[in-house]
Each structure stands twice: as structure tokens, then as C-alpha cells.
Amino acid sequence: MKSSLYFGLLSVFVTNELMGQGQMPPAQKRMVDSIKKVYMREAAIRSVSLRQVMVSTDFISNADINGKLYGNNLFDGKISQIRTSALVNVPVVAWGKNKVTASFSLFHQYLNLVSNKAYMPDDFNVQDTAMNKVTVGVSASFQRVDSLFGRRVIYTGSLTVLSDDYRLAQKISFLGGMIFQLKQTRTTNVSLGLLLNIDPAVNIPVLPLFVYWHMFPNKLELDISLPQRIGVRTALSKKSWFTFGSAIAGSVSFFRLSHAVLPADASFSSVDLKTGPGLEFRIGKLLMLGVNGGVLTPLTSRQYERNERSDKYFLSNKISTIPYANVTVSLLPF
């Protein structure tokens, strides 16, 4: 899940409550709309995933890499990467306690591979390679805020299509579930959820979710969104913040292979753990600028036949932990 998920839930709770008030006089409606924008922007300041537009670039330095093909050593080398993600969230329609949102994403990855040693030069001669890969995505999301057993609950579902070819959908996945708000005070909020992930590459389709947020008397915020993120955040001024934490990030790209012993259509996925500090600045009413860095620990780097589970991979890479830097430019909801 995305970081600072609690504030995403808070935004959904508040905005749906405000929009569900029925017909109102124009003056009252303008006041409600103004309050709604304040809550939405406050939530989006704490959670990048709630921003209307976001562009983020990772600069990943040279790392040692060892590739294995069907469990056998394929090559040793060095790899550097530049990854850019862009996301646009577009509200579509809202009625009562319900809301529909569309999202458009783009992921561009530049890889520079230097092969120091090839273990299968006769069959698979891995050479120095510079490569650009682009993956685009479209998502439609539905949310409903309601109550169950006396607790506020979100019902959510999203359908996502990914591809590097506009003529076909190369990956279709569904994520849906229920998220309960167990506790809400001025300084502490707790949510618990269960998500169903229908994706041919996913090994565990059911995912538990635990979200805990607490603000200490010194205004330091603790944000735990398991299994995705844990971190702390504090304001340096009214328009600047310092953060430190760890978060899991992943990516998917697609390949067409021509070797006889390899699948013709393949997916490549990576999962990384990022740990380090960050700074973020608000410029004007809408613009946010963030810089952060630290160490990146690759957890998995695998290639497998498209529409197969990711644990049935034919190529796996072991990549060393390396420094990285990130720059993010985004817009608050407008």
C-alpha cells in the first residue's frame, strides 16, 4: 500500500461526509467545498499517493549484479538505473457515500548494464547494454464510506491495466477489500484492513493491512502502514518537513524474447526497500518539491513468463545494496 495511508482514509471519510449532505444553499455549499479542500490538501501533504499530479525520479548508482538463468550462473556485472514515475489522479464522479476516480501512470526505466563475466558465452553471451523501458497504466477506482458493527469502514476496489503497447493490455489486475477505522482521536488513529489482490503474478492474493498514526507532544508524527512503510515526520516550518523511514517500492515492465529456450512474452518485476531521510517543501498553494535519498536494498529482481506467477521465474538477479537519490515534484488536489 501507499505511504501514510491513514491520511488517505481520513480524506475519504471527511470528503464523503461533506459531499453527502444533500442539497444546500449556495453560500453553505461554498463553505463546505472550502473545508473539503483544506482536508484534502492536508491529507495529500502527508501522502504523495493522494496528490493530483506527481512526477518522481530515482537515481540509483552502480551496483554489483549476478544473474542466474534457470538457477545457473549467467553473468556478473555492474548496473546503474534511472527510474521515473508519473501519476495523474482524476476525480470522475461522487454521489452520496461513493466516489469513482481514474488514474493514469507512466513508468520509465533507463538501465545501463556492464557485463564483467559471462558464464554461458556460447548460448547466452550477455554484453554491455543500455536500455530504455516504458510501462503505462490506467486504473479505475471505486470507494464507498459506510459503517459496520458501529465502526466506520471503507469498501474499495480498483481495476488496473498495464502495457508497453497501446494496442493490447499486457497485464490486468484487481485490488479490493475493506478497511476499518478502529480508533480516531486528535493525536492517534488506527485502521485495520484486508485486501484481495487478483493478479496472475501474485503469490499471496490476500493481504492484511495495519495502519497506525500518532502525533507526540513535540509534534513528531509516527506513521506505520504495514506491510508497505514505517517512518517519522516533523515540520521544520509551516511549509517544510523532514522525514525518515523505510518503504517498499516495486515496478513491472514487459519484454519480447526471441531465444528458443525462453518464453516469447515475459514480464520483469522488481521489489526494493528504500531507507533514508527526506525533505519536502510547499511552494505556493499547490506545488510540492521533495528530495530524499539513502540506501536501496533490492529484495527481488525476476523475469518470468507473462501471466505466470512471479515465483515461476526463469531469470533472477542478485543486486547489492546501493545508495540512491530521489527528486519528486507534485501538485496538491485542485
Side-chain angles (χ1 to χ4, degrees):
M1 297 299 295
K2 302 294 184 183
S3 60
S4 302
L5 179 59
Y6 162 70
F7 291 97
L9 307 186
L10 175 61
S11 174
V12 174
F13 288 143
V14 172
T15 55
N16 277 277
E17 290 282 333
L18 293 171
M19 289 187 295
Q21 300 300 319
Q23 297 296 322
M24 293 179 289
Q28 184 180 355
K29 185 177 186 303
R30 285 195 297 269
M31 181 182 69
V32 169
D33 288 343
S34 178
I35 295 172
K36 181 177 67 175
K37 287 181 181 179
V38 170
Y39 275 100
M40 290 175 64
R41 287 177 182 171
E42 181 65 20
I45 286 173
R46 289 171 165 85
S47 179
V48 176
S49 64
L50 295 175
R51 298 176 189 176
Q52 202 140 9
V53 179
M54 183 275 294
V55 179
S56 181
T57 299
D58 289 330
F59 301 90
I60 305 170
S61 60
N62 277 329
D64 296 324
I65 180 172
N66 168 253
K68 291 182 180 292
L69 183 66
Y70 295 111
N72 300 310
N73 281 325
L74 179 62
F75 72 96
D76 290 330
K78 295 277 189 178
I79 186 171
S80 60
Q81 303 174 70
I82 300 176
R83 302 172 179 173
T84 298
S85 300
L87 177 68
V88 178
N89 293 312
V90 181
V92 176
V93 64
W95 71 100
K97 300 178 179 181
N98 310 293
K99 181 171 68 173
V100 175
T101 304
S103 300
F104 305 91
S105 65
L106 181 146
F107 176 71
H108 176 269
Q109 186 173 24
Y110 170 78
L111 304 98
N112 186 26
L113 175 66
V114 177
S115 176
N116 296 332
K117 181 176 181 180
Y119 291 94
M120 306 178 188
D122 295 334
D123 298 319
F124 298 93
N125 187 17
V126 180
Q127 299 178 346
D128 295 356
T129 302
M131 181 185 303
N132 289 279
K133 296 295 296 181
V134 176
T135 303
V136 296
V138 179
S139 298
S141 303
F142 170 81
Q143 290 178 329
R144 176 177 174 82
V145 178
D146 214 322
S147 61
L148 185 65
F149 307 124
R151 300 285 183 179
R152 196 166 281 180
V153 61
I154 291 179
Y155 300 95
T156 180
S158 64
L159 183 69
T160 300
V161 178
L162 297 177
S163 182
D164 66 356
D165 187 338
Y166 70 92
R167 295 169 297 181
L168 73 157
Q170 292 176 290
K171 180 176 181 177
I172 301 175
S173 61
F174 171 82
L175 181 69
M178 303 168 62
I179 304 170
F180 293 88
Q181 188 177 53
L182 300 180
K183 181 179 180 180
Q184 178 181 351
T185 68
R186 188 176 61 86
T187 59
T188 304
N189 295 275
V190 183
S191 297
L192 188 65
L194 195 66
L195 300 176
L196 174 65
N197 193 359
I198 301 176
D199 183 329
V202 169
N203 305 320
I204 304 175
V206 179
L207 183 70
L209 173 68
F210 174 73
V211 179
Y212 175 82
W213 175 83
H214 180 74
M215 179 181 286
F216 296 94
N218 61 0
K219 303 303 182 182
L220 180 70
E221 300 174 33
L222 173 64
D223 175 18
I224 300 175
S225 301
L226 298 179
Q228 195 268 339
R229 173 181 169 82
I230 181 170
V232 293
R233 177 179 182 271
T234 188
L236 301 177
S237 69
K238 290 184 178 180
K239 292 190 175 183
S240 63
W241 297 266
F242 171 81
T243 62
F244 187 92
S246 295
I248 291 176
S251 65
V252 177
S253 53
F254 305 99
F255 288 80
R256 294 162 185 81
L257 307 177
S258 58
H259 199 284
V261 303
L262 301 179
D265 291 316
S267 298
F268 183 89
S269 66
S270 63
V271 178
D272 305 309
L273 177 66
K274 297 178 177 179
T275 302
L279 291 170
E280 194 161 37
F281 307 90
R282 184 175 182 178
I283 302 171
K285 289 185 178 180
L286 299 178
L287 182 64
M288 300 290 292
L289 173 64
V291 291
N292 60 78
V295 295
L296 183 146
T297 303
L299 302 178
T300 63
S301 176
R302 298 171 174 176
Q303 195 165 29
Y304 46 92
E305 186 173 359
R306 187 160 60 91
N307 296 323
E308 284 285 354
R309 287 182 3 190
S310 62
D311 61 351
K312 295 183 177 180
Y313 55 88
F314 58 87
L315 174 68
S316 65
N317 298 312
K318 183 178 180 181
I319 305 175
S320 63
T321 297
I322 36 163
Y324 83 99
N326 171 273
V327 177
T328 298
V329 178
S330 54
L331 294 177
L332 299 176
F334 53 84

